[in-house]
Amino acid sequence: MVAADKMRARAEAKGTSFLNKDQKLEVYGLMEQGKNGDVNIERPGIFSPIERAKWDAWEKNKGMPKEQAQKRYVELIKGYFKQFGQEDLLAELTG
């Protein structure tokens, strides 16, 4: 089970919500920027709303250096662990 699955299962067991759509898109955008740099594909068309939203999230990070996106991604994920009261899981995953 990956960290996100563990977080989701724990949050659901506590009766709390997990990441909302905007939070997921922010994570996605930083992840892509950290891996690939500036968006390098054409924006999907109107008939692909999910892919278009993901592209837009990535595009928001245009110009951000990969290293900065990676650091921001880690900070964001750590913040979500804390937000969902899962510091113990964070400690387990980071050793």
Side-chain angles (χ1 to χ4, degrees), residues 3 7-8 20 28 31 34-35 41 46-47 50 62 67 72-73 79-80 83-84 87-88 91:
M7 285 180 70
R8 182 177 296 110
N20 66 39
Y28 177 84
M31 179 189 70
K35 284 191 328 187
I41 58 173
I46 196 163
F47 295 110
I50 294 171
K62 185 176 183 177
E67 297 79 17
R72 177 71 186 115
Y73 174 86
Y80 288 140
Q83 177 182 336
F84 292 106
E87 292 91 344
D88 59 327

Side-chain angles (χ1 to χ4, degrees), residues 1-3 6 10 81 86-95:
M1 183 178 281
V2 296
K6 286 183 180 182
R10 285 182 171 197
F81 272 95
Q86 300 191 33
E87 292 91 344
D88 59 327
L89 179 57
L90 176 61
E92 176 187 324
L93 295 170
T94 58

Side-chain angles (χ1 to χ4, degrees), residues 18 26 37 42 45 54 63 66 72 84:
F18 195 57
E26 183 179 13
E42 194 171 310
K54 290 165 70 174
K66 286 183 180 182
R72 177 71 186 115
F84 292 106

Side-chain angles (χ1 to χ4, degrees), residues 29-39 58-74:
L30 287 169
M31 179 189 70
E32 287 298 321
Q33 188 71 18
K35 284 191 328 187
N36 302 307
D38 288 344
V39 68
W58 183 5
E59 175 70 11
K60 286 181 182 178
N61 297 298
K62 185 176 183 177
M64 182 185 296
K66 286 183 180 182
E67 297 79 17
Q68 183 181 351
Q70 292 165 1
K71 288 178 184 177
R72 177 71 186 115
Y73 174 86
V74 170

